[in-house]
Amino acid sequence: MSVQSRINGELGRRLDDGFTAAAISFGTGLVLLAVALAISPRGRAGFGGVGRALRERTLSWWMLLGGLAGAFLVLSQGLTAALLGVALFTVAIVAGQTVSGLVIDLIGLGPGGRHPITGPRVVGASLALAAVTIAVSAQLTAGVEIWWVLMPLIAGLGTGWQQAVNGRVRVAASSALTSTFLNFVSGTVVLVIAAVVHVAVAGPPEAFPAEPWLYVGGALGCVFIAGTAVIVRRTGVLLLSLATIAGQLASALALDLLLPVPGRHVDAATTVGTLLAFIAVVVASGRPSFLRLGFRRGS
């Protein structure tokens, strides 16, 4: 997800048009998924399962619109990732994921049903939010507009909802390919419309860059959406969100250190916030015995 943020952010910067960059990302992903469906009988059969679930009302029609949240996430990548730096962008996403994960697990929207709010989960979520506060405060003093931080924060809130409903669709279809395709259909439609309107108002984007790697963001999104649709049933939304944080933040910091954005640098606040968010994953899992008030024999 961090690599996707860097790619989509750079494409948006090169085109000087984050809307077109987002539409390209989702559109290329949709094409790849359509090809996969053409050679996958199980994936095509999944549509029948979704249809039955809709008729039996075990699946609501609005659960097919998870791609709208994904579209907003990719749009925020194209508009803000290059400005904020991948590390700060990812930390803001984490804050939204954490809050939505707690709420969605509590109401039982995900395919795994309700997950109670326990001490470790609350502490882990609080640590993640504290990590965001630390990291964002330093960057805001460097002249970053609050809007650019709020956009990925809201996108993170939507990501939790997206993971829950995509997981529900995946269960109904018995195919991650089917649920991922439906996710990309709704997202692509919205982003193409937004890109067309933006071009009509602001004019066409800059010349399309020739580097092939700038167009693989959609493929990375396919892998991420399919993976989360499978895993969320077992983990719940909160633990899934926090478990992905470790990989996201580690790779985000590596990208900002090894391939820095001109004019941006990784400061101490961002580093400390990232480490604290990593600790939040461990705490929320409830695994480490030293975090408990007592010890069970054999633990």
Side-chain angles (χ1 to χ4, degrees), residues 1-4 6 86-87 90 244-259 274:
M1 192 173 180
S2 297
V3 176
Q4 183 195 42
R6 172 60 66 90
V86 177
T90 307
T244 61
I245 292 171
Q248 289 180 43
L249 295 185
S251 59
L253 274 179
L255 286 170
D256 276 352
L257 288 170
L258 300 176
L259 299 171
T274 301

PDB file of all heavy atoms in Angstrom, residues 1-4 6 86-87 90 244-259 274:
ATOM      1  N   MET A   1       0.831  -1.206   0.000  1.00  0.00           N
ATOM      2  CA  MET A   1       0.000   0.000   0.000  1.00  0.00           C
ATOM      3  C   MET A   1       0.866   1.258   0.000  1.00  0.00           C
ATOM      4  O   MET A   1       0.515   2.261  -0.626  1.00  0.00           O
ATOM      5  CB  MET A   1      -0.927  -0.010   1.214  1.00  0.00           C
ATOM      6  CG  MET A   1      -2.034   1.032   1.160  1.00  0.00           C
ATOM      7  SD  MET A   1      -3.207   0.812   2.518  1.00  0.00           S
ATOM      8  CE  MET A   1      -4.323   2.140   2.154  1.00  0.00           C
ATOM      9  N   SER A   2       1.986   1.207   0.700  1.00  0.00           N
ATOM     10  CA  SER A   2       2.896   2.350   0.712  1.00  0.00           C
ATOM     11  C   SER A   2       3.515   2.579  -0.661  1.00  0.00           C
ATOM     12  O   SER A   2       3.652   3.722  -1.112  1.00  0.00           O
ATOM     13  CB  SER A   2       4.002   2.133   1.749  1.00  0.00           C
ATOM     14  OG  SER A   2       3.461   2.061   3.041  1.00  0.00           O
ATOM     15  N   VAL A   3       3.899   1.501  -1.312  1.00  0.00           N
ATOM     16  CA  VAL A   3       4.465   1.621  -2.671  1.00  0.00           C
ATOM     17  C   VAL A   3       3.410   2.173  -3.620  1.00  0.00           C
ATOM     18  O   VAL A   3       3.701   3.023  -4.477  1.00  0.00           O
ATOM     19  CB  VAL A   3       4.989   0.257  -3.155  1.00  0.00           C
ATOM     20  CG1 VAL A   3       5.486   0.356  -4.591  1.00  0.00           C
ATOM     21  CG2 VAL A   3       6.106  -0.235  -2.241  1.00  0.00           C
ATOM     22  N   GLN A   4       2.178   1.702  -3.479  1.00  0.00           N
ATOM     23  CA  GLN A   4       1.094   2.213  -4.311  1.00  0.00           C
ATOM     24  C   GLN A   4       0.899   3.714  -4.085  1.00  0.00           C
ATOM     25  O   GLN A   4       0.691   4.468  -5.039  1.00  0.00           O
ATOM     26  CB  GLN A   4      -0.206   1.465  -4.007  1.00  0.00           C
ATOM     27  CG  GLN A   4      -1.368   1.910  -4.896  1.00  0.00           C
ATOM     28  CD  GLN A   4      -2.712   1.447  -4.376  1.00  0.00           C
ATOM     29  OE1 GLN A   4      -2.962   1.500  -3.174  1.00  0.00           O
ATOM     30  NE2 GLN A   4      -3.584   1.007  -5.267  1.00  0.00           N
ATOM     31  N   ARG A   6       3.147   5.906  -3.164  1.00  0.00           N
ATOM     32  CA  ARG A   6       4.247   6.627  -3.815  1.00  0.00           C
ATOM     33  C   ARG A   6       4.036   6.676  -5.325  1.00  0.00           C
ATOM     34  O   ARG A   6       4.217   7.726  -5.956  1.00  0.00           O
ATOM     35  CB  ARG A   6       5.586   5.974  -3.469  1.00  0.00           C
ATOM     36  CG  ARG A   6       6.793   6.524  -4.252  1.00  0.00           C
ATOM     37  CD  ARG A   6       7.012   8.015  -4.008  1.00  0.00           C
ATOM     38  NE  ARG A   6       7.392   8.304  -2.642  1.00  0.00           N
ATOM     39  CZ  ARG A   6       8.646   8.347  -2.212  1.00  0.00           C
ATOM     40  NH1 ARG A   6       9.642   8.109  -3.060  1.00  0.00           N
ATOM     41  NH2 ARG A   6       8.899   8.640  -0.959  1.00  0.00           N
ATOM     42  N   VAL A  86       5.303   9.842   1.968  1.00  0.00           N
ATOM     43  CA  VAL A  86       4.571   8.592   2.155  1.00  0.00           C
ATOM     44  C   VAL A  86       4.401   8.268   3.634  1.00  0.00           C
ATOM     45  O   VAL A  86       3.362   7.749   4.053  1.00  0.00           O
ATOM     46  CB  VAL A  86       5.281   7.432   1.417  1.00  0.00           C
ATOM     47  CG1 VAL A  86       4.566   6.116   1.667  1.00  0.00           C
ATOM     48  CG2 VAL A  86       5.325   7.715  -0.075  1.00  0.00           C
ATOM     49  N   ALA A  87       5.411   8.564   4.467  1.00  0.00           N
ATOM     50  CA  ALA A  87       5.314   8.215   5.884  1.00  0.00           C
ATOM     51  C   ALA A  87       4.150   8.939   6.553  1.00  0.00           C
ATOM     52  O   ALA A  87       3.306   8.326   7.210  1.00  0.00           O
ATOM     53  CB  ALA A  87       6.629   8.536   6.593  1.00  0.00           C
ATOM     54  N   THR A  90       0.783   7.767   5.234  1.00  0.00           N
ATOM     55  CA  THR A  90       0.388   6.461   5.744  1.00  0.00           C
ATOM     56  C   THR A  90      -0.060   6.542   7.195  1.00  0.00           C
ATOM     57  O   THR A  90      -1.019   5.868   7.598  1.00  0.00           O
ATOM     58  CB  THR A  90       1.553   5.461   5.607  1.00  0.00           C
ATOM     59  OG1 THR A  90       2.012   5.462   4.254  1.00  0.00           O
ATOM     60  CG2 THR A  90       1.112   4.053   5.969  1.00  0.00           C
ATOM     61  N   THR A 244      -1.780  -4.509   9.234  1.00  0.00           N
ATOM     62  CA  THR A 244      -1.177  -4.003   7.993  1.00  0.00           C
ATOM     63  C   THR A 244      -0.314  -2.774   8.235  1.00  0.00           C
ATOM     64  O   THR A 244       0.501  -2.403   7.388  1.00  0.00           O
ATOM     65  CB  THR A 244      -2.269  -3.640   6.969  1.00  0.00           C
ATOM     66  OG1 THR A 244      -3.105  -2.612   7.508  1.00  0.00           O
ATOM     67  CG2 THR A 244      -3.116  -4.845   6.604  1.00  0.00           C
ATOM     68  N   ILE A 245      -0.487  -2.136   9.396  1.00  0.00           N
ATOM     69  CA  ILE A 245       0.264  -0.919   9.683  1.00  0.00           C
ATOM     70  C   ILE A 245       1.773  -1.180   9.699  1.00  0.00           C
ATOM     71  O   ILE A 245       2.563  -0.371   9.200  1.00  0.00           O
ATOM     72  CB  ILE A 245      -0.190  -0.321  11.027  1.00  0.00           C
ATOM     73  CG1 ILE A 245      -1.614   0.197  10.905  1.00  0.00           C
ATOM     74  CG2 ILE A 245       0.745   0.800  11.473  1.00  0.00           C
ATOM     75  CD1 ILE A 245      -2.224   0.608  12.231  1.00  0.00           C
ATOM     76  N   ALA A 246       2.161  -2.301  10.296  1.00  0.00           N
ATOM     77  CA  ALA A 246       3.598  -2.594  10.414  1.00  0.00           C
ATOM     78  C   ALA A 246       4.275  -2.585   9.047  1.00  0.00           C
ATOM     79  O   ALA A 246       5.296  -1.917   8.846  1.00  0.00           O
ATOM     80  CB  ALA A 246       3.794  -3.945  11.096  1.00  0.00           C
ATOM     81  N   GLY A 247       3.672  -3.292   8.110  1.00  0.00           N
ATOM     82  CA  GLY A 247       4.253  -3.316   6.767  1.00  0.00           C
ATOM     83  C   GLY A 247       4.172  -1.973   6.075  1.00  0.00           C
ATOM     84  O   GLY A 247       5.125  -1.534   5.425  1.00  0.00           O
ATOM     85  N   GLN A 248       3.033  -1.301   6.228  1.00  0.00           N
ATOM     86  CA  GLN A 248       2.858  -0.008   5.570  1.00  0.00           C
ATOM     87  C   GLN A 248       3.877   1.014   6.059  1.00  0.00           C
ATOM     88  O   GLN A 248       4.534   1.689   5.268  1.00  0.00           O
ATOM     89  CB  GLN A 248       1.445   0.516   5.839  1.00  0.00           C
ATOM     90  CG  GLN A 248       0.335  -0.233   5.123  1.00  0.00           C
ATOM     91  CD  GLN A 248      -1.020   0.343   5.454  1.00  0.00           C
ATOM     92  OE1 GLN A 248      -1.184   1.558   5.495  1.00  0.00           O
ATOM     93  NE2 GLN A 248      -1.993  -0.506   5.708  1.00  0.00           N
ATOM     94  N   LEU A 249       3.990   1.143   7.379  1.00  0.00           N
ATOM     95  CA  LEU A 249       4.863   2.171   7.921  1.00  0.00           C
ATOM     96  C   LEU A 249       6.336   1.852   7.709  1.00  0.00           C
ATOM     97  O   LEU A 249       7.144   2.751   7.459  1.00  0.00           O
ATOM     98  CB  LEU A 249       4.575   2.372   9.406  1.00  0.00           C
ATOM     99  CG  LEU A 249       3.179   2.920   9.727  1.00  0.00           C
ATOM    100  CD1 LEU A 249       3.045   3.194  11.216  1.00  0.00           C
ATOM    101  CD2 LEU A 249       2.908   4.184   8.925  1.00  0.00           C
ATOM    102  N   ALA A 250       6.686   0.576   7.823  1.00  0.00           N
ATOM    103  CA  ALA A 250       8.085   0.212   7.594  1.00  0.00           C
ATOM    104  C   ALA A 250       8.507   0.536   6.168  1.00  0.00           C
ATOM    105  O   ALA A 250       9.569   1.122   5.926  1.00  0.00           O
ATOM    106  CB  ALA A 250       8.285  -1.275   7.893  1.00  0.00           C
ATOM    107  N   SER A 251       7.667   0.163   5.205  1.00  0.00           N
ATOM    108  CA  SER A 251       8.011   0.446   3.810  1.00  0.00           C
ATOM    109  C   SER A 251       7.896   1.939   3.507  1.00  0.00           C
ATOM    110  O   SER A 251       8.659   2.471   2.691  1.00  0.00           O
ATOM    111  CB  SER A 251       7.123  -0.358   2.860  1.00  0.00           C
ATOM    112  OG  SER A 251       5.765  -0.048   3.062  1.00  0.00           O
ATOM    113  N   ALA A 252       6.955   2.629   4.165  1.00  0.00           N
ATOM    114  CA  ALA A 252       6.815   4.064   3.934  1.00  0.00           C
ATOM    115  C   ALA A 252       8.059   4.816   4.373  1.00  0.00           C
ATOM    116  O   ALA A 252       8.574   5.681   3.654  1.00  0.00           O
ATOM    117  CB  ALA A 252       5.591   4.594   4.676  1.00  0.00           C
ATOM    118  N   LEU A 253       8.559   4.498   5.563  1.00  0.00           N
ATOM    119  CA  LEU A 253       9.776   5.148   6.030  1.00  0.00           C
ATOM    120  C   LEU A 253      10.966   4.813   5.131  1.00  0.00           C
ATOM    121  O   LEU A 253      11.806   5.667   4.836  1.00  0.00           O
ATOM    122  CB  LEU A 253      10.072   4.732   7.471  1.00  0.00           C
ATOM    123  CG  LEU A 253       9.386   5.538   8.573  1.00  0.00           C
ATOM    124  CD1 LEU A 253       9.750   4.993   9.940  1.00  0.00           C
ATOM    125  CD2 LEU A 253       9.753   7.010   8.469  1.00  0.00           C
ATOM    126  N   ALA A 254      11.033   3.556   4.698  1.00  0.00           N
ATOM    127  CA  ALA A 254      12.127   3.157   3.812  1.00  0.00           C
ATOM    128  C   ALA A 254      12.084   3.946   2.509  1.00  0.00           C
ATOM    129  O   ALA A 254      13.118   4.405   2.008  1.00  0.00           O
ATOM    130  CB  ALA A 254      12.053   1.654   3.529  1.00  0.00           C
ATOM    131  N   LEU A 255      10.877   4.135   1.969  1.00  0.00           N
ATOM    132  CA  LEU A 255      10.749   4.898   0.727  1.00  0.00           C
ATOM    133  C   LEU A 255      11.154   6.349   0.922  1.00  0.00           C
ATOM    134  O   LEU A 255      11.856   6.930   0.095  1.00  0.00           O
ATOM    135  CB  LEU A 255       9.306   4.824   0.221  1.00  0.00           C
ATOM    136  CG  LEU A 255       8.871   3.503  -0.409  1.00  0.00           C
ATOM    137  CD1 LEU A 255       7.374   3.491  -0.646  1.00  0.00           C
ATOM    138  CD2 LEU A 255       9.611   3.267  -1.722  1.00  0.00           C
ATOM    139  N   ASP A 256      10.704   6.949   2.032  1.00  0.00           N
ATOM    140  CA  ASP A 256      11.042   8.354   2.265  1.00  0.00           C
ATOM    141  C   ASP A 256      12.527   8.551   2.555  1.00  0.00           C
ATOM    142  O   ASP A 256      13.082   9.627   2.307  1.00  0.00           O
ATOM    143  CB  ASP A 256      10.213   8.903   3.430  1.00  0.00           C
ATOM    144  CG  ASP A 256       8.832   9.373   2.966  1.00  0.00           C
ATOM    145  OD1 ASP A 256       8.605   9.404   1.748  1.00  0.00           O
ATOM    146  OD2 ASP A 256       7.997   9.693   3.825  1.00  0.00           O
ATOM    147  N   LEU A 257      13.182   7.527   3.106  1.00  0.00           N
ATOM    148  CA  LEU A 257      14.609   7.623   3.382  1.00  0.00           C
ATOM    149  C   LEU A 257      15.451   7.345   2.144  1.00  0.00           C
ATOM    150  O   LEU A 257      16.434   8.037   1.866  1.00  0.00           O
ATOM    151  CB  LEU A 257      14.988   6.652   4.510  1.00  0.00           C
ATOM    152  CG  LEU A 257      14.510   7.026   5.914  1.00  0.00           C
ATOM    153  CD1 LEU A 257      14.746   5.871   6.874  1.00  0.00           C
ATOM    154  CD2 LEU A 257      15.219   8.285   6.404  1.00  0.00           C
ATOM    155  N   LEU A 258      15.083   6.298   1.393  1.00  0.00           N
ATOM    156  CA  LEU A 258      15.881   5.865   0.251  1.00  0.00           C
ATOM    157  C   LEU A 258      15.528   6.612  -1.031  1.00  0.00           C
ATOM    158  O   LEU A 258      16.394   6.850  -1.876  1.00  0.00           O
ATOM    159  CB  LEU A 258      15.712   4.355   0.029  1.00  0.00           C
ATOM    160  CG  LEU A 258      16.134   3.467   1.205  1.00  0.00           C
ATOM    161  CD1 LEU A 258      15.829   2.004   0.901  1.00  0.00           C
ATOM    162  CD2 LEU A 258      17.624   3.660   1.506  1.00  0.00           C
ATOM    163  N   LEU A 259      14.257   6.961  -1.180  1.00  0.00           N
ATOM    164  CA  LEU A 259      13.806   7.682  -2.374  1.00  0.00           C
ATOM    165  C   LEU A 259      13.032   8.914  -1.936  1.00  0.00           C
ATOM    166  O   LEU A 259      11.821   9.015  -2.148  1.00  0.00           O
ATOM    167  CB  LEU A 259      12.922   6.776  -3.241  1.00  0.00           C
ATOM    168  CG  LEU A 259      13.567   5.498  -3.781  1.00  0.00           C
ATOM    169  CD1 LEU A 259      12.515   4.611  -4.428  1.00  0.00           C
ATOM    170  CD2 LEU A 259      14.675   5.845  -4.765  1.00  0.00           C
ATOM    171  N   THR A 274       5.857   6.652  13.938  1.00  0.00           N
ATOM    172  CA  THR A 274       5.805   5.375  13.235  1.00  0.00           C
ATOM    173  C   THR A 274       6.141   4.219  14.171  1.00  0.00           C
ATOM    174  O   THR A 274       5.471   3.176  14.164  1.00  0.00           O
ATOM    175  CB  THR A 274       6.789   5.383  12.043  1.00  0.00           C
ATOM    176  OG1 THR A 274       6.432   6.444  11.161  1.00  0.00           O
ATOM    177  CG2 THR A 274       6.748   4.066  11.305  1.00  0.00           C
TER     178      THR A 274
END
